[in-house]
Amino acid sequence: MTTYRLGSSPAVHTPGVIAWAINAYSFEEDRQRMLQTVSATFSDVPAAAIEQLLSKAVPYKVEGETVVFSAEVPA
């Protein structure tokens, strides 16, 4: 398991963006777009980990302005 920390910036409040993306990901027609959007925003995180986050396969927590989650990504 690898732990990822998705930090905010002056332009992006990550906890809000992730909550929005998780909600949108629940609609099948929006899944690919949400995965692409979040993966492009946090390009250092593997898409497989982002998919686990958005699908709620793994829990996440908010530490201040940072989203923290752990995911298993195949090698």
Side-chain angles (χ1 to χ4, degrees), residues 25-50:
Y25 194 85
S26 67
F27 298 98
E28 189 171 342
E29 64 272 11
D30 293 331
R31 287 183 183 154
Q32 189 60 36
R33 188 170 317 142
M34 286 300 100
L35 181 57
Q36 290 171 340
T37 300
V38 176
S39 292
T41 304
F42 301 100
S43 59
D44 57 328
V45 179
I50 297 289

Side-chain angles (χ1 to χ4, degrees), residues 2-4 6 45 49-50 53 58-61 67-71:
T2 302
T3 299
Y4 300 96
L6 309 180
V45 179
I50 297 289
L53 173 64
V58 296
Y60 74 93
K61 61 183 175 180
V67 170
V68 180
F69 72 102
S70 296

